[in-house]
Amino acid sequence: MHKKLWVILALVVIVPSLLFTVACAKKTVKSEPEMTQTTEDQSAMEAQAARDKAAAEEAARQAELDRQRQMEEQELQRQMMAARNMFMNENIYFDFDSSVLLPAAQEVLKSKAAWMQANPDASVIIEGHCDERGTPAYNLALGDRRAESAKAFMVDLGIDATRLATISYGEERPVDKGSDEEAWAKNRRDEFVIE
Amino acid sequence: MLLTAGSGLAQTEYEYIDISNPFLRKIPLAVPWFKMTSGHAAEHEYARKAAGLISETLEFTGYFKILDQGAFLTDPLNPAIISANINFRNWTGIGAELLITGGILVKDDIVEMELRLFDTFKESLLVGKRYKGWVKDERQMIRRFCSEVIFHLTGSKGIFDSKIAFISTGTGHKEIYICEFDGYRPVQFTDNKNINLFPAWSSDTQWLAYTSYVKGKPDLYIKSLEEKRGATLDKKGLQITPAWVPGKFELAATLSFSGDQEIYLLTGTGKITKRLTYSRGIDVAPTWSPDGKRMAFVSKRSGSPQIYIKDIASGRVERLTFEGRYNTEPSWSPIGDKIAYSGMTAGEINIYVIDAEGGDPTQLTQNQGSNESPSWSPDGSLIVFSSTRQGLSRIYVMTAYGTDQRRLLALPGEQSNPAWSASAVNN
């Protein structure tokens, strides 16, 4: 520390008066810019490093942003798929020998209509189904009415009728082959298939 | 001589079978083995087989009690087959009231048969016929004679050349099959690996109409049984439950292209000519009176599915069923006086018969699973239907009075929706 102070003193005060002692002074002077340069190099490097770091940080930030954007996109995609799947998978259910839309069914149909409004290119087939009780011909007619009920409701909500086709399967395609009220309740349904 | 016999027959026609309920008392009938003419081994086999086939064919009608061969007092290998040689007391002694004898000659591929029906108490010949044909046509000859027997005893032609169409899932799909009246020789009719439903015979038995999902939705197909021609109706919505108008190339069917299920009249080529029902809500499953002037059908117009009859000329519609809250699948008897249908109470479906003019229904099945889809034999004496009494859905036959319920045929898968044809025209 003292040595360094002495060196600085020598540089500022003694060196000009001791020009003859060049070698020494030179050596000293020589050593001094070297030091200065080292300092300059260091700071340049430091600046570069800072810039690099900033760039890296920026890149990371960008990457993170991209990742987020991608995730958001994926999330959106996922949500759209989920909405689509929900549209496809969420059935509406009916009482025995009835094609009247129950309140829960109406809520489901409202969300389905919203989805169709958000997806104006989609066309949908509404399938009407019945439980095994009753007879095949009457059940086919009943399934037809169940599909038509849902269609009429969605048309009332502003969906173009040409985007909604209906098909009845009557009692031909149960989702649950059981013969109890639980199975029957699952089978008395409309299914929604995106074309 | 012939004339005397003729008038005699006319008087005795219904003496044997009480048409008010012919199944209440079955007529004891004996069918001994046929008498061999040449005595060849092949003839021996046919002599037994033919007697067995006559017994089975006539027993199917429900009119007869076939007597056990073991009780016969005669030599089974040397039966007397003509009046002069028959000791009728051998037959009355074991309770036989009717006797059928046969003589058979088999030579190469040709079979000759002489068949006779006797009244054992009157000791008189009622029907006598001789047949000659290919050995492979033996079954047809036997059936023709049985038709003569039934015609003599009841005054109606019988059912032995009729067929039954039905749905079977043996292939894993609901395909249409056709078998003979007694379940013999089932043949697959559709082969589209999809859902096929509601087979319906034209009254000349030349056409079959049915619903098929072969193009992804319930369309109507009208197909010639003999030739490769037909028509399709594939409008929007349903096209189901075809029913041919008796004696015409026309049919009624339920269509829903309007968004409402209504019954329409179509030509046999699938053109809509007239709307037959005008009620918001389900109208389905038409069936015609034999004169084609009235149509029974199912409607939900009163809140629950019930059977109605429409008079075509006046347009008047009257409700037929009032008991129960689920009456569907009407089938109008070809004789005209009765309508069979299925009714559901407490989750169980049973077959009922009701007078076409109304009144109290008679329940024909009970406590034996679900019994559905009744269809009448062409003479109105029998009803074919499906039942889950043994678990899986199978096809059964019973008399019009609900007696003699038995399974029609054994096939893999489930069978349903039987439709009995009229008797073939060219036979």
Side-chain angles (χ1 to χ4, degrees), chain B residues 282-349:
Chain B
I282 295 172
D283 291 302
V284 72
T287 177
W288 292 93
S289 64
D291 61 9
K293 290 179 176 166
R294 288 185 294 167
M295 177 187 81
F297 62 100
V298 174
S299 178
K300 206 188 179 182
R301 60 192 64 189
S302 66
S304 65
Q306 298 292 346
I307 295 163
Y308 292 77
I309 293 178
K310 179 181 174 116
D311 183 86
I312 300 299
S314 70
R316 208 174 62 206
V317 175
E318 280 183 55
R319 183 170 164 178
L320 179 67
T321 55
F322 291 90
E323 283 183 30
R325 291 199 40 83
Y326 198 108
N327 296 311
T328 63
E329 304 187 311
S331 174
W332 205 310
S333 161
I335 292 177
D337 54 342
K338 289 188 167 71
I339 291 171
Y341 64 93
S342 73
M344 179 159 65
T345 43
E348 193 181 81
I349 301 178

Side-chain angles (χ1 to χ4, degrees), chain B residues 176-238:
Chain B
I176 297 172
Y177 288 68
I178 296 172
C179 65
E180 296 181 10
F181 77 96
D182 53 358
Y184 184 69
R185 222 171 55 184
V187 175
Q188 189 173 342
F189 178 73
T190 60
D191 186 9
N192 55 44
K193 298 170 180 60
N194 220 304
I195 304 168
N196 299 281
L197 300 163
F198 315 126
W201 296 91
S202 65
S203 57
D204 64 3
T205 71
Q206 300 300 298
W207 296 83
L208 201 68
Y210 58 95
T211 293
S212 177
Y213 281 72
V214 65
K215 284 196 249 169
K217 61 187 210 40
D219 297 323
L220 186 70
Y221 293 80
I222 302 169
K223 287 246 166 95
S224 161
L225 280 125
E226 301 300 327
E227 301 153 45
K228 278 198 185 319
R229 58 196 179 105
T232 309
L233 190 65
D234 56 358
K235 297 173 94 69
K236 193 166 84 67
L238 295 172

Side-chain angles (χ1 to χ4, degrees), chain A residues 29-42:
Chain A
V29 169
K30 214 176 183 180
S31 72
E32 189 262 317
E34 255 180 8
M35 280 181 67
T36 313
Q37 200 168 348
T38 308
T39 316
E40 273 173 4
D41 280 356
Q42 208 153 352

Side-chain angles (χ1 to χ4, degrees), chain B residues 44-113:
Chain B
H44 189 73
E45 186 199 325
Y46 281 111
R48 289 183 184 209
K49 224 177 86 183
L53 197 52
I54 286 197
S55 301
E56 284 168 30
T57 304
L58 287 175
E59 190 172 27
F60 190 87
T61 64
Y63 295 140
F64 306 98
K65 176 176 181 249
I66 307 296
L67 297 178
D68 182 7
Q69 299 252 359
F72 294 176
L73 305 171
T74 54
D75 177 2
L77 294 176
N78 190 25
I81 63 167
I82 58 169
S83 298
N85 301 338
I86 295 170
N87 181 353
F88 284 102
R89 264 177 255 166
N90 279 341
W91 298 108
T92 54
I94 60 164
E97 292 174 28
L98 294 174
L99 169 70
I100 289 176
T101 67
I104 192 163
L105 170 65
V106 180
K107 198 178 173 193
D108 302 322
D109 288 338
I110 303 290
V111 58
E112 275 187 72
M113 278 188 256

Side-chain angles (χ1 to χ4, degrees), chain B residues 92-165:
Chain B
T92 54
I94 60 164
E97 292 174 28
L98 294 174
L99 169 70
I100 289 176
T101 67
I104 192 163
L105 170 65
V106 180
K107 198 178 173 193
D108 302 322
D109 288 338
I110 303 290
V111 58
E112 275 187 72
M113 278 188 256
E114 46 179 288
L115 299 164
R116 294 179 179 84
L117 172 70
F118 296 98
D119 178 322
T120 54
F121 282 91
K122 290 183 185 155
E123 304 194 357
S124 63
L125 176 69
L126 302 177
V127 177
K129 292 279 166 183
R130 185 183 290 273
Y131 302 92
K132 182 177 182 180
W134 300 108
V135 164
K136 66 176 170 60
D137 295 329
E138 184 199 27
R139 186 175 280 264
Q140 266 97 315
M141 287 178 232
I142 297 282
R143 284 182 179 172
R144 204 160 293 180
F145 177 72
C146 290
S147 288
E148 299 286 349
V149 169
I150 294 300
F151 182 71
H152 180 82
L153 298 176
T154 69
S156 110
K157 262 184 63 183
I159 58 170
F160 304 125
D161 54 6
S162 62
K163 293 185 171 177
I164 296 170

Side-chain angles (χ1 to χ4, degrees), chain A residues 123-137:
Chain A
S123 287
V124 169
I125 301 170
I126 307 172
E127 296 179 358
H129 297 267
C130 303
D131 69 33
E132 62 172 351
R133 292 176 299 166
T135 49

